[in-house]
Amino acid sequence: QSPAGAAAAAAAGEADATAAAEATKTKPMTAAEEAAAGRARRAAIEAAEREEQRKKFEEEQSKKEAEAEAKRLEAVAAVARGDHVPLKAQGDSHMVAKEYKEAIKVYTTAIDMLELADQQDVKIVSARAGAHLVLEEWWAVANDGLLCMQMDPDWWLGYYVRGHAIMKMLADKTIRAANNINADSAAVDEIRQAIEALKACLKCSTLPPEEKEKVKEELKMMREELRK
């Protein structure tokens, strides 16, 4: 075969190969192949969406953590400056003016500030308990009393307000009914809690002598209630 003929044959073979490849490319997919391709596309889209959501979540978490840390540092600086001290004085002024709800708000601001700075002031918490007590918000009084007890086991007022609040809740039929407290079950446990709180109060070195008789009287009432 002449060189020209060989070149022509090679060119024809290459053209046939290209045509075969194109035919293979454009060959219609079977139903199964189309379904598989569709699944693959959906999986790829879902994976991309999950990755985007993960990144967004991490960004939001980082933002929240940064904001929380900024608030913490701000509280630490505020406490270092003593900003909670005038807040306590402001709350006390509201108490004198009989503005008890305003006092609670101010005391709570001071308490939250201290908590963020990993600090605490049992006297501010007991002052808030006193505001709740005047408003007869007994659950809040009992909770603040417990918080005082945890903060300072020798602070008499925490034990006293908790015992007093429990006693008042037991005397309130509406509260007893709402919380399913009856004489045969939960009431006995509640009375014992009040007794233990008042007994602990009497052992506190911080208990003023002029308050001792009042605490003893309430303790006596609780013991009599338990005997009924």
Side-chain angles (χ1 to χ4, degrees), residues 167 191 194-195 218-226:
M167 183 176 69
I191 293 169
I195 289 172
E218 293 205 14
L219 179 57
K220 180 181 177 182
M221 290 170 60
M222 283 287 95
R223 284 172 168 161
E224 288 173 355
E225 187 69 25
L226 188 60

Side-chain angles (χ1 to χ4, degrees), residues 26 74 93 99 121 133 220:
T26 57
E74 183 181 346
S93 296
E99 298 166 346
D121 189 320
L133 187 147
K220 180 181 177 182

Side-chain angles (χ1 to χ4, degrees), residues 42-217:
R42 286 194 298 273
I45 292 170
E46 289 171 359
E49 289 175 346
R50 284 195 299 272
E51 179 63 16
E52 185 178 349
Q53 289 171 355
R54 184 188 65 79
K55 288 181 179 178
K56 185 177 179 181
F57 175 77
E58 289 181 351
E59 288 172 1
E60 289 175 351
Q61 287 297 108
S62 296
K63 184 179 178 181
K64 288 178 181 178
E65 289 172 3
E67 289 174 351
E69 180 62 9
K71 286 181 179 179
R72 188 190 70 80
L73 293 174
E74 183 181 346
V76 169
V79 171
R81 291 193 303 267
D83 289 1
H84 58 294
V85 177
L87 284 172
K88 168 68 164 58
Q90 185 182 345
D92 293 346
S93 296
H94 283 304
M95 289 292 288
V96 172
K98 298 183 179 180
E99 298 166 346
Y100 304 117
K101 289 189 179 296
E102 288 76 6
I104 290 168
K105 288 177 184 177
V106 177
Y107 289 142
T108 299
T109 298
I111 292 165
D112 290 346
M113 179 194 298
L114 287 160
E115 185 178 356
L116 272 175
D118 199 24
Q119 300 291 325
Q120 57 192 26
D121 189 320
V122 70
K123 292 185 179 180
I124 298 179
V125 178
S126 58
R128 184 175 69 179
H132 284 301
L133 187 147
V134 175
L135 295 172
E136 298 186 355
E137 296 171 345
W138 302 121
W139 280 113
V141 176
N143 287 337
D144 274 349
L146 179 60
L147 187 56
C148 288
M149 290 158 57
Q150 293 167 342
M151 285 182 173
D152 185 353
D154 193 44
W155 182 237
W156 74 279
L157 203 50
Y159 298 99
Y160 175 73
V161 296
R162 181 165 175 81
H164 183 78
I166 292 172
M167 183 176 69
K168 288 294 186 180
M169 284 190 284
L170 289 170
D172 190 317
K173 293 180 181 179
T174 303
I175 294 177
R176 290 179 64 163
N179 294 278
N180 196 29
I181 298 173
N182 58 72
D184 297 326
S185 57
V188 173
D189 183 57
E190 296 291 332
I191 293 169
R192 284 177 177 155
Q193 284 188 45
I195 289 172
E196 290 304 312
L198 294 173
K199 283 169 62 178
C201 180
L202 288 170
K203 295 177 182 178
C204 292
S205 65
T206 56
L207 176 63
E210 64 272 17
E211 298 290 344
K212 189 168 287 187
E213 287 305 314
K214 180 173 70 174
V215 178
K216 285 182 177 179
E217 186 61 30

